[in-house]
């Protein structure tokens, strides 16, 4: 009897050790904006810069996950790198408003707790995503705007910079060209990240300068929870990029999660169906999304979208154009 009991205990211990070795899958997906991006209209140095920037952000976020860190830390780390990179429309390199200033929006969400933080219309915060995280963790609110958000940032010791720090020569040039035109078009872009950590928790973050020539305190989809940014362990994590007005009216990120929750629609199908609704209204853009099993999807209906992913199964990729 004692022999059988000991064998039984050994079997259980062996099984537990095996389970500890078989790590749960983890993954990071990032984007650097969707738009009229083709190989033909992208200068070689811009292409190199965008690829290198995505690569760097991917490594920063993935390193967090690999060490067993949280998906929240991973998405914040990846987005901070993209905010600091002049190749993307967020932080340094943001597109300019009609007045020629940079106004930044960002959001972050924790799929484990459904905690969320968001900021809009910032002019002086070096890394908007980190302020969004402070709103989530250190304030009783979810969304703060403009001067109020910056006053809160002071209480949190965040890094302030001059507005001119965000304005790159390339964006200033584009602004000057657009200023003379009656219909300036809508150059845009955004950055974002979604992650699944080893504990099985999802998170999402997005950061943007919004649309060029925006007026009157315009805010897009990126900082609105459930639209440009959403995460729920029960369904998925989503970060969007594209023509914000249309994304808002289609409630994009939560629409994907809702299809999964209420209809059992798989992630990829849900994401495509929602993006088709954006298109039917006349909008365009793309998104990255990830579910709790590590399924990744990165659909877009523009000519290109800066995007990259890395999974614990060893697969990874960086792409800019449609067939890339
Ligand atoms: N979605 C952003 C906005 O409308 C811009 C973009 O992603 O291109 O503010």
């Amino acid at each position: 009897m004692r022999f059988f009991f000991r064998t039984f205990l050994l079997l259980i211990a062996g099984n537990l050790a095996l389970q500890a070795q078989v790590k749960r899958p983890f993954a990071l997906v990032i984007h650097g904006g969707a738009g009229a991006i083709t190989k033909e209209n992208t200068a070689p140095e811009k292409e190199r810069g965008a690829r290198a920037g995505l690569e760097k952000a991917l490594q920063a976020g993935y390193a967090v996950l690999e060490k067993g860190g949280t998906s929240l830390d991973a998405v914040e780390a990846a987005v901070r790198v993209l905010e600091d990179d002049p190749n993307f429309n967020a932080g340094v390199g943001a597109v300019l408003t009609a007045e020629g200033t940079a106004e930044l929006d960002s959001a972050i969400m924790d799929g484990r707790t459904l905690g969320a933080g968001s900021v809009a219309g910032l002019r002086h915060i070096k890394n908007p995503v980190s302020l969004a995280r402070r709103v989530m963790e250190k304030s009783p609110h979810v969304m703060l705007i403009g001067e109020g958000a910056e006053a809160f940032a002071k209480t949190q010791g965040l890094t302030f910079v001059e507005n001119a720090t965000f304005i790159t020569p390339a964006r200033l040039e584009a602004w000057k060209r657009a200023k003379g035109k009656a219909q300036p078009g809508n150059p845009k872009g955004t950055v974002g990240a979604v992650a699944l950590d080893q504990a099985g928790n999802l998170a999402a973050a997005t950061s943007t300068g919004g649309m060029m020539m925006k007026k009157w305190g315009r805010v897009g989809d990126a900082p609105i929870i459930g639209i440009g940014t959403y995460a729920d362990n029960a369904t998925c994590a989503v970060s969007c990029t594209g023509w914000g007005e249309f994304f808002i009216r289609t409630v994009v990120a939560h629409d994907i999660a809702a299809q999964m929750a209420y209809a059992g629609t798989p992630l990829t199908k849900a994401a495509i169906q929602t993006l088709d609704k954006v298109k039917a209204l006349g909008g365009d853009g793309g998104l990255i999304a990830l579910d709790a099993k590590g399924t990744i999807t990165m659909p877009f209906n523009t000519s290109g979208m800066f995007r990259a992913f890395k999974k614990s199964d060893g697969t990874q990729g960086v792409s800019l154009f449609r067939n890339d």
Side-chain angles (χ1 to χ4, degrees):
M1 190 67 193
R2 260 182 68 194
F3 170 77
F4 284 117
F5 187 61
R6 263 198 15 220
T7 316
F8 177 67
L9 281 183
L10 281 173
L11 273 174
I12 294 212
N15 197 16
L16 284 178
L18 202 71
Q19 270 181 22
Q21 270 172 27
V22 182
K23 280 193 194 151
R24 294 171 78 157
F26 55 97
L28 177 71
V29 192
I30 61 173
H31 72 80
I37 307 161
T38 61
K39 178 94 181 155
E40 293 70 39
N41 71 13
T42 307
E45 61 285 2
K46 172 78 186 173
E47 181 177 343
R48 270 196 300 277
R51 284 191 196 279
L54 288 169
E55 193 72 51
K56 191 171 167 202
L58 199 63
Q59 296 316 335
Y62 194 80
V64 173
L65 297 175
E66 209 168 25
K67 279 188 253 152
T70 66
S71 50
L72 263 185
D73 285 343
V75 294
E76 184 184 359
V79 168
R80 282 179 67 99
V81 171
L82 296 168
E83 286 177 338
D84 291 342
D85 189 322
N87 286 296
F88 305 99
N89 173 19
V92 177
V95 297
L96 306 185
T97 65
E99 291 80 44
T101 57
E103 278 184 14
L104 312 174
D105 309 331
S106 181
I108 193 164
M109 185 156 181
D110 182 351
R112 183 176 67 85
T113 61
L114 299 189
S118 145
V119 285
L122 305 179
R123 289 172 178 239
H124 305 102
I125 307 301
K126 182 174 165 287
N127 290 105
V129 70
S130 295
L131 183 56
R133 182 150 182 196
R134 295 298 176 97
V135 173
M136 174 174 81
E137 290 176 344
K138 306 283 185 206
S139 91
H141 306 302
V142 168
M143 188 170 199
L144 301 181
I145 61 165
E147 284 170 15
E150 297 201 348
F152 171 67
K154 277 219 171 79
T155 72
Q156 297 298 307
L158 266 94
T159 307
F160 278 65
V161 293
E162 292 292 320
N163 194 257
T165 309
F166 300 121
I167 304 177
T168 60
R171 294 298 191 200
L172 198 57
E173 248 338 284
W175 179 80
K176 282 184 186 152
R177 279 197 307 273
K179 210 171 173 321
K181 293 187 189 149
Q183 276 296 338
N186 56 13
K188 39 195 191 298
T190 282
V191 307
V194 292
L196 170 68
D197 64 27
Q198 294 187 33
N201 295 314
L202 291 167
T206 312
S207 187
T208 189
M211 287 175 82
M212 186 159 82
M213 290 292 168
K214 63 185 182 181
K215 290 181 184 168
W216 308 306
R218 180 265 188 193
V219 176
D221 58 307
I224 307 180
I225 298 303
I227 299 185
T229 308
Y230 192 70
D232 179 355
N233 277 2
T235 50
C236 59
V238 182
S239 172
C240 300
T241 168
W243 198 336
E245 279 68 9
F246 292 91
F247 277 66
I248 293 172
R249 292 161 60 203
T250 319
V251 198
V252 172
H254 190 264
D255 191 63
I256 297 170
Q259 289 184 67
M260 295 174 74
Y262 303 146
T265 311
L267 177 75
T268 305
K269 187 169 176 208
I272 290 169
Q273 288 182 167
T274 300
L275 212 51
D276 284 349
K277 291 194 209 170
V278 172
K279 193 165 186 183
L281 276 186
D284 61 0
L287 60 93
I288 54 171
L290 178 62
D291 70 14
K293 290 185 295 227
T295 313
I296 284 174
T297 189
M298 307 182 283
F300 53 97
N301 55 29
T302 47
S303 46
M305 179 168 84
F306 295 163
R307 58 204 187 278
F309 74 95
K310 190 164 180 175
K311 290 176 77 167
S312 55
D313 64 6
T315 53
Q316 59 178 307
V318 176
S319 313
L320 309 186
F321 314 117
R322 181 153 294 281
N323 300 313
D324 174 12

